[in-house]
Each structure stands twice: as structure tokens, then as C-alpha cells.
Amino acid sequence: MMELEKILQKEGLGTRRFCRQLIQSGKVWVENNLCLHPTALFSQKNLRLTVENQTFWTKEYVVLALNKPVGFECSQNAFHAGIFSLIPKRFCNRGVQPIGRLDVNTSGLIFLTDNGKLNHFLTSPKNQIPRVYVAECAENITEHLLIKLQKGVFLKNEQKKSIAQHAQKLNEKTLKLTLTGGKYHEVRRMIAALGNHVVQLKRIAYGNFQLPENLAEGAFELIDSSRILHHDDFK
């Protein structure tokens, strides 16, 4: 059990003093009941809260699936606009961090979480978590390019080949590519090493999670980690 003001603070709503003032001013409802007592005790697991007319359930950890637009950086100290400007402040206050990175010119799926163990598991190359990309190239996609991507490409300053687990031609200049390595600019560097050039890149899947078609650019969805990985995969 935990005091309500501490629960609100843990959920990223502000300092303990600010959370106490929210409660005392009648802006906090717990399970549809108005609560005016900051020290009232509740279980913090899946507690339904309504704060300033916004309803949510408390969670030990959060995972956000964001559809990142081009032009946004995955950094707190971004030179361009940052992805943290696209999510509510309470998640930033919880300390969510991106799982991996997408460069400023790449769009699509990126996760943010305050679960460090999950972040490490998903980004560790040894776990071979697939990421799926759609790349539009400057030149036509050849059968030779697809074969070479799946056989592996040596990139500059890398000791091991970067290998595509799957490479599929979607149209003359667009391909779908599945990787598990997560190296810096890996898709762009692989295609460049084979004599072509990526002009547009989007990540459409990570693990078991597919970027929802109805999730607009710049929008996010609060998800459970089981949608990314089977529970048996991550313990």
C-alpha cells in the first residue's frame, strides 16, 4: 500500500507537494471516487485514477509505441525537435528512454520505456530481436542486391557482417528488410555499400509488434511489453 500523493508522484505528475495540492483541491478521483486525503493508502497496481479529467491506470513500468515523424531526434538534448516533445510530460517525468534509436531522417516505430531491463533486452544484439524496415532507394532494386543483403555485408569499421534475415522487393525502388543487429545507420550503410542509396526509410515492426496503420505520425500508444515479446522470451 502507498500514500496517494506518492502514487501520483511516481506516475510522473509532479513533485510530492504539487501532487498533494492536486488532491486537496479536488482534482483527483480514485476508482470513480473523489479523494481529498493525500495520505490515503491504496495499492499502486492497476489503480484507476482520474486527474484533472484525464483517466489512466497506474503501472509499475510503462511502454510507449511512438510513430516518429521525420525531423525528430531520439534525444533529450536534440538539435532538431525531439521525440520527448511528442509525449505527455508525466511520461518524461517518469524517466522514459527510447529503446534504440532512429536517426532524424528515419520515421516509424520507436518504443520508449522506464523499464531498463526491457530496454537492455530489446537492444542487446545477442537476443536477435527483429526490426522490420521499408526502404525507398534511389536506384532500382535488383535480385543481386537482395541476395547480397541476405548473405551479409561488411560495413566500414565493423568486424562482422551485417546480415538481413529477410529482404523482399515491394516495387521497383522499394524493399522490406528485416535486421536483428541494431547497428548505427545499419540499413542505410548496407544499401550504400552495395551501390544504392536510401532516400526514405521507415521502421514498421519491432519484435512481435507491428506499427498500427491507424497510428498517426507523432502519435503514440501505451502498450504492454507482451505485445513486443512473448513472456517466455523476456524474464
Side-chain angles (χ1 to χ4, degrees):
M1 304 292 282
M2 183 179 289
E3 294 178 354
L4 183 57
E5 62 181 31
K6 289 184 180 179
I7 292 175
L8 297 189
Q9 182 183 25
K10 185 176 183 301
E11 289 295 313
L13 292 171
T15 64
R16 189 166 173 180
R17 179 180 179 182
F18 177 78
C19 293
R20 183 182 307 130
Q21 291 172 344
L22 278 178
I23 297 166
Q24 292 174 335
S25 60
K27 296 179 180 179
V28 178
W29 296 66
V30 181
E31 302 292 352
N32 292 325
N33 297 309
L34 178 65
C35 184
L36 298 171
H37 305 289
T39 57
L41 296 176
F42 297 95
S43 170
Q44 61 184 121
K45 185 176 181 180
N46 293 325
L47 186 66
R48 187 173 188 266
L49 296 177
T50 301
V51 181
E52 296 185 312
N53 298 317
Q54 298 294 318
T55 299
F56 58 93
W57 281 260
T58 59
K59 293 180 177 293
E60 182 179 7
Y61 299 109
V62 294
V63 183
L64 310 180
L66 173 69
N67 186 357
K68 186 187 96 64
V70 169
F72 284 77
E73 292 186 11
C74 300
S75 171
Q76 290 276 21
N77 301 309
F79 179 77
H80 299 274
I83 59 174
F84 292 94
S85 67
L86 300 172
I87 62 175
K89 186 177 178 180
R90 73 180 182 92
F91 294 122
C92 298
N93 289 344
R94 288 187 63 133
V96 297
Q97 295 296 321
I99 296 178
R101 295 289 191 272
L102 292 178
D103 67 65
V104 68
N105 294 314
T106 299
S107 65
L109 177 63
I110 187 161
F111 300 119
L112 298 99
T113 187
D114 54 353
N115 186 336
K117 185 178 179 182
L118 175 66
N119 198 328
H120 177 75
F121 186 91
L122 286 172
T123 54
S124 176
K126 72 177 183 179
N127 293 321
Q128 297 287 289
I129 308 299
R131 292 92 150 161
V132 183
Y133 300 84
V134 172
E136 180 184 336
C137 298
E139 308 294 336
N140 287 350
I141 306 299
T142 64
E143 190 64 27
H144 174 74
L145 178 71
L146 297 176
I147 292 171
K148 292 291 287 183
L149 288 170
Q150 292 174 95
K151 285 187 174 181
V153 182
F154 276 112
L155 302 178
K156 186 178 180 180
N157 299 324
E158 299 288 353
Q159 300 301 313
K160 294 182 179 180
K161 284 184 176 181
S162 288
I163 300 173
Q165 279 60 47
H166 182 72
Q168 176 189 359
K169 181 177 177 179
L170 300 181
N171 60 44
E172 288 302 313
K173 293 187 177 181
T174 307
L175 62 82
K176 183 164 73 171
L177 197 63
T178 302
L179 302 175
T180 60
K183 295 176 184 175
Y184 177 73
H185 286 180
E186 190 169 20
V187 175
R188 297 180 187 276
R189 292 165 67 201
M190 288 176 73
I191 293 174
L194 296 173
N196 208 324
H197 175 70
V198 173
V199 295
Q200 188 170 321
L201 185 63
K202 181 176 184 178
R203 184 157 65 194
I204 61 169
Y206 197 134
N208 298 325
F209 188 86
Q210 305 283 326
L211 181 67
E213 291 184 2
N214 62 351
L215 187 64
E217 283 198 347
F220 73 91
E221 180 181 345
L222 190 62
I223 67 170
D224 189 86
S225 61
S226 62
R227 295 178 63 186
I228 309 171
L229 298 165
H230 296 300
H231 284 301
D232 290 341
D233 296 332
F234 174 66
K235 297 180 180 179

